[in-house]
Amino acid sequence: MDRAAGALTEKQRYEFNKLQKRLRRLVGEAIADYRMIEDGDKVMVCLSGGKDSYTLLDVLLSLRLNAPVQFDIIAVNLDQKQPGFPEHVLPEYLAGRGIPYHIIEQDTYSIVKRVVPEGKTTCGLCSRLRRGLLYRYAAEHGITKIALGHHRDDILETFFLNLFYGGTLKAMPPKLLSDDRRHIVIRPLAYCREKDIEEYARIKAFPIIPCNLCGSQENLQRKAMKEMLQSWEKQFPGRLETIFTALQNIALSQLADRNLFDFIGLDQVRGDVTGNQDASVSAGLEVLFL
């Protein structure tokens, strides 16, 4: 346990140990369920300086100590040249812990401010620029897995954003193949609650860096989704867990996507199944009345 957590009272330390074990267990389960990390992988943890990516890096480092496979971890940060960005924070933190890291320096801030009209959300363009730069670094340095810090709440918020505003049933998958089929993106925190991550980051006293580019404005739609989910969780404890479980239990035949399920061909299937069912019923009746 580090110095920040070591300063806790006995009761606080007990609660922190439970929290730490829960996060490690959930991350381990997500990795195993989706086979996120395999032997020999070189995992790039995209470190933004926020609570989620710090927690992701910290938990992966601890799990690696007893993991059944061998894999490397490198922390990569994109310095977007935001005014006032504390360039020293991440290098000092990572070097102090002996964690291999690389800082990509690219002025995407100026591009976003020039292209996006004043008052409009910059998140979309900023995200695309970041993704392109991180993918390029991964391709040039033999990275086999790109780890992002999205958690369960992010996934649920994205699901409802797409449902209410995009007209699609999609979220953030725990494991993703990039459009160019060159990169595997993983989200090991997929099973973890945001409030647990917040508490973990607070106790560990990570040197959090706020995002002045998108943090200075509110993504009102995502904020509305977050408030809706928080209200549900408060009024109906366990509802978010149920919704997330639903994302893992999809019945295509009970939805309406003609591209994913052959509704037109059901007549042919009915004929095949009916014949089999009639034979099974007849055999059952014979056994019953003999």
Side-chain angles (χ1 to χ4, degrees):
M1 185 179 297
D2 58 25
R3 285 180 294 177
L8 302 175
T9 65
E10 184 176 348
K11 181 179 180 180
Q12 290 172 330
R13 189 177 299 111
Y14 171 76
E15 293 299 325
F16 173 75
N17 286 336
K18 286 204 307 181
L19 171 62
Q20 184 170 242
K21 289 178 181 178
R22 179 162 63 251
L23 288 174
R24 290 177 178 176
R25 173 178 57 80
L26 291 172
V27 170
E29 288 177 359
I31 291 174
D33 287 349
Y34 295 92
R35 200 171 178 179
M36 293 183 183
I37 298 176
E38 299 180 275
D39 194 51
D41 268 340
K42 188 173 183 180
V43 180
M44 180 175 83
V45 176
C46 299
L47 192 65
S48 66
K51 67 183 189 325
D52 304 328
S53 58
Y54 271 124
T55 298
L56 172 62
L57 177 62
D58 195 72
V59 173
L60 284 180
L61 287 170
S62 65
L63 288 179
R64 187 178 60 168
L65 298 176
N66 298 304
V69 296
Q70 298 291 321
F71 62 95
D72 294 326
I73 293 176
I74 179 172
V76 175
N77 169 257
L78 173 59
D79 179 357
Q80 299 174 274
K81 299 305 175 183
Q82 300 175 32
F85 181 78
E87 299 179 357
H88 64 285
V89 172
L90 286 174
E92 288 180 0
Y93 172 79
L94 295 168
R97 292 197 56 183
I99 301 171
Y101 72 93
H102 179 77
I103 307 296
I104 302 172
E105 297 189 29
Q106 186 72 41
D107 186 4
T108 62
Y109 178 86
S110 296
I111 297 174
V112 171
K113 298 301 285 185
R114 184 177 70 250
V115 173
V116 179
E118 187 69 27
K120 297 294 183 179
T121 300
T122 60
C123 299
L125 177 59
C126 181
S127 177
R128 290 194 296 274
L129 291 173
R130 285 202 315 269
R131 183 164 57 246
L133 291 167
L134 292 170
Y135 280 2
R136 184 172 71 185
Y137 179 87
E140 293 174 350
H141 293 83
I143 301 297
T144 56
K145 299 290 170 60
I146 301 173
L148 303 181
H150 298 122
H151 44 68
R152 188 198 68 176
D153 299 62
D154 288 324
I155 293 172
L156 291 178
E157 289 166 17
T158 302
F159 171 74
F160 283 105
L161 276 171
N162 286 318
L163 178 66
F164 294 155
Y165 300 104
T168 59
L169 285 177
K170 66 177 184 179
M172 293 175 172
K175 187 177 182 180
L176 171 72
L177 179 65
S178 63
D179 291 341
D180 61 7
R181 306 181 72 83
R182 298 177 63 192
H183 306 285
I184 294 289
V185 176
I186 59 175
R187 296 182 170 97
L189 296 179
Y191 292 171
C192 301
R193 302 179 300 179
E194 183 174 21
K195 66 179 183 179
D196 284 344
I197 294 171
E198 287 177 344
E199 180 67 6
Y200 187 80
R202 184 188 67 79
I203 296 174
K204 297 284 285 188
F206 295 133
I208 304 297
I209 301 175
C211 178
N212 296 323
L213 181 58
C214 60
S216 60
Q217 60 185 335
E218 291 184 307
N219 185 330
L220 296 180
Q221 292 178 345
R222 182 168 289 276
K223 181 183 178 184
M225 295 303 99
K226 182 182 290 292
E227 291 175 350
M228 179 187 73
L229 294 176
Q230 290 175 345
S231 175
W232 283 355
E233 184 64 16
K234 183 177 180 180
Q235 188 174 2
F236 308 103
R239 171 172 285 189
L240 300 192
E241 190 67 33
T242 301
I243 297 173
F244 187 83
T245 300
L247 296 180
Q248 300 173 293
N249 292 279
I250 298 173
L252 291 178
S253 64
Q254 308 304 302
L255 296 175
D257 193 325
R258 292 169 294 165
N259 295 316
L260 296 180
F261 188 82
D262 185 13
F263 293 98
I264 296 175
L266 287 179
D267 290 330
Q268 179 62 42
V269 175
R270 181 186 60 179
D272 295 340
V273 173
T274 300
N276 294 333
Q277 287 180 336
D278 289 344
S280 299
V281 171
S282 298
L285 290 174
E286 290 178 4
V287 171
L288 181 62
F289 291 104
L290 283 178

